[in-house]
Amino acid sequence: MTPGPTTPNMELALPARAENIAIVRHAFGALGEAFAIDEEVVSDIRLAVTEACTNVVVHAYPEDCEGPLEVLATLTDDELTVLVRDEGPGIVPRPDSPGLGLGLPLIASLTEGMQLGHGEDGRTEVSMTFSLTSLSTREGEPAGGKDAMANPSMP
């Protein structure tokens, strides 16, 4: 699941601590400003990435251990791919989970695509893809997308 040979536009490697989540959020705000990404889109990106990073902090490592949190962001013309990874055991059900279990569904609702898995190096990875088209542009399309505009008789 690790992205191909494309060099990320941004790479962060931090200890998986709660206070470092704010650093990641600020970095994505700055990335949005630097590349003139629509504010609504940046807001969704920041929320989804925050959720993924929170999962690393809360679930990846035992309470008495601290491990790495890595975040990579790669921009193309109309898409941003974010990879959040850790060296924890992976995403497995936990009956003693301190969370409500809403993080992954929230991430899925904010992204164009999400993948969970392991990279070639065995690290746990969450890959998120975001469209850089503004939300207002996407919301302005009728149901059925552009084809529905070309054929108004579609239900």
Side-chain angles (χ1 to χ4, degrees), residues 3-115:
T6 304
T7 302
N9 295 85
M10 182 174 72
E11 263 183 272
L12 301 170
L14 302 162
R17 292 192 295 235
E19 60 267 26
N20 288 335
I21 296 171
I23 293 170
V24 174
R25 283 184 62 82
H26 288 297
F28 276 91
L31 185 77
E33 283 182 32
F35 288 94
I37 300 171
D38 181 86
E39 288 182 32
E40 290 179 70
V41 174
V42 172
S43 179
D44 283 353
I45 293 167
R46 291 175 70 186
L47 180 54
V49 172
T50 295
E51 285 296 322
C53 291
T54 299
N55 282 345
V56 172
V57 170
V58 173
H59 301 292
Y61 306 107
E63 281 187 42
D64 56 346
C65 295
E66 184 179 283
L69 162 67
E70 296 181 6
V71 182
L72 295 83
T74 306
L75 283 138
T76 61
D77 290 337
D78 60 351
E79 204 170 74
L80 172 69
T81 301
V82 178
L83 183 67
V84 175
R85 63 184 175 198
D86 62 67
E87 295 177 2
I91 299 169
V92 294
R94 281 184 50 193
D96 65 333
S97 177
L100 298 175
L102 303 176
L104 293 176
L106 176 61
I107 293 169
S109 74
L110 295 169
T111 63
E112 294 295 315
M114 178 182 84
Q115 290 183 328

